[in-house]
């Protein structure tokens, strides 16, 4: 996997640069890039390769990628290039988006000026691996789940402190697995016979006395 960090003054030139390096350069991509170019964002382009040579579809996996930068407010880059037809007109299966947010308190998300329609799966302090996080004081982890379909992704998700700082955890999952025990009929018959003989023997002794 190769990565290149870019900054441009012209969204069309940036889209063309990406197109010459194997990315799909479309008018929708150029329109999507325009806001980031205007706002002087830096774009990181990832090129993921595979040793497979044939086939229309490839399966591959990557390791986690850590990007570090300064920002006035925490956000998630939620916007996507808008392809025709409009997302509202598409009948698409759900796409689950899971966002992990780590801070010193519980946060909630906003999609532009509106609330973000994502559920909170978890929010509580966690002991995080040192390779992921170095501050023990900042370990309040909140997990958001967005399974909207279609996903209207025309703005970024920004995060603000939540008015409710209570811990959020899912109830434990109880899995009931019945266990079947097979008892052979011969064993049951043997137990009945032995029991009958014992009872009969005791009855005989009682009669003799």
């Amino acid at each position: 996997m190769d990565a290149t960090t870019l900054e441009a003054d012209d969204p069309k030139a940036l889209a063309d640069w990406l197109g010459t390096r194997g990315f799909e350069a479309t008018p929708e991509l150029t329109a999507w890039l325009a806001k980031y170019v205007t706002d002087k964002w830096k774009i990181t382009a990832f090129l993921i390769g595979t040793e497979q040579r044939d086939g229309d579809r490839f399966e591959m996996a990557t390791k986690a990628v850590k990007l570090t930068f300064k920002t006035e407010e925490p956000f998630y880059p939620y916007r996507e290039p808008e392809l025709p037809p409009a997302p509202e007109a598409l009948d698409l299966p759900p796409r689950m988006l899971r966002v992990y947010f780590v801070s010193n308190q519980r946060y909630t998300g906003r999609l532009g000026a509106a609330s973000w329609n994502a559920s909170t799966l978890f929010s509580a302090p966690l002991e995080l691996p040192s390779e992921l996080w170095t501050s023990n004081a900042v370990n309040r982890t909140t997990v958001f789940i967005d399974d909207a379909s279609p996903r209207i992704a025309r703005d970024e998700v920004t995060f603000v402190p939540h008015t409710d700082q209570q811990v959020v955890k899912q109830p434990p999952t109880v899995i009931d697995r019945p266990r079947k025990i097979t008892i052979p009929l011969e064993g049951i018959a043997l137990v009945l016979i032995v029991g009958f003989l014992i009872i009969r023997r005791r009855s005989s002794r009682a009669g003799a006395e």
Side-chain angles (χ1 to χ4, degrees):
M1 180 176 66
D2 295 327
T4 303
T5 301
L6 308 166
E7 186 175 359
D9 297 322
D10 182 359
K12 180 64 168 58
L14 179 56
D16 291 342
W17 186 94
L18 293 170
T20 59
R21 286 157 178 80
F23 294 88
E24 186 176 359
T26 62
E28 291 78 18
L29 176 64
T30 303
W32 178 76
L33 290 169
K35 181 180 185 300
Y36 300 119
V37 170
T38 301
D39 294 343
K40 300 298 181 182
W41 281 39
K42 288 181 171 56
I43 306 295
T44 302
F46 292 92
L47 185 62
I48 302 174
T50 176
E51 295 180 354
Q52 293 180 252
R53 296 184 178 181
D54 300 323
D56 297 329
R57 300 177 64 89
F58 303 98
E59 293 184 2
M60 60 187 68
T62 65
K63 296 181 179 180
V65 176
K66 183 177 181 179
L67 299 176
T68 303
F69 54 90
K70 293 182 179 180
T71 178
E72 295 180 357
E73 57 183 356
F75 72 94
Y76 179 83
Y78 193 79
R79 289 180 67 240
E80 297 177 351
E82 189 167 319
L83 303 176
E88 296 89 341
L90 298 176
D91 183 16
L92 299 174
R95 291 187 301 155
M96 189 184 73
L97 171 66
R98 190 189 301 258
V99 177
Y100 294 82
F101 186 90
V102 182
S103 184
N104 60 342
Q105 59 181 313
R106 181 183 174 187
Y107 272 66
T108 187
R110 297 188 61 82
L111 183 57
S115 59
W116 181 30
N117 188 25
S119 59
T120 300
L121 183 67
F122 177 89
S123 183
L126 282 181
E127 292 186 10
L128 301 174
S130 58
E131 60 269 18
L132 296 179
W133 212 257
T134 57
S135 174
N136 293 327
V138 182
N139 64 350
R140 179 68 181 262
T141 303
T142 303
V143 182
F144 299 96
I145 298 293
D146 181 352
D147 55 3
S149 180
R151 183 174 298 156
I152 312 302
R154 298 190 177 111
D155 215 326
E156 317 297 354
V157 171
T158 56
F159 297 95
V160 295
H162 203 297
T163 56
D164 183 2
Q165 292 296 318
Q166 290 187 359
V167 169
V168 178
K169 292 184 178 181
Q170 297 300 304
T173 301
V174 179
I175 301 176
D176 186 9
R177 295 178 178 174
R179 184 178 180 183
K180 296 181 180 180
I181 301 177
T182 303
I183 301 177
L185 294 177
E186 295 83 355
I188 298 176
L190 180 61
V191 171
L192 292 176
I193 293 172
V194 172
F196 173 75
L197 293 176
I198 293 175
I199 294 174
R200 184 177 180 182
R201 185 175 180 181
R202 288 180 177 177
S203 299
S204 299
R205 288 182 178 179
E209 293 176 356

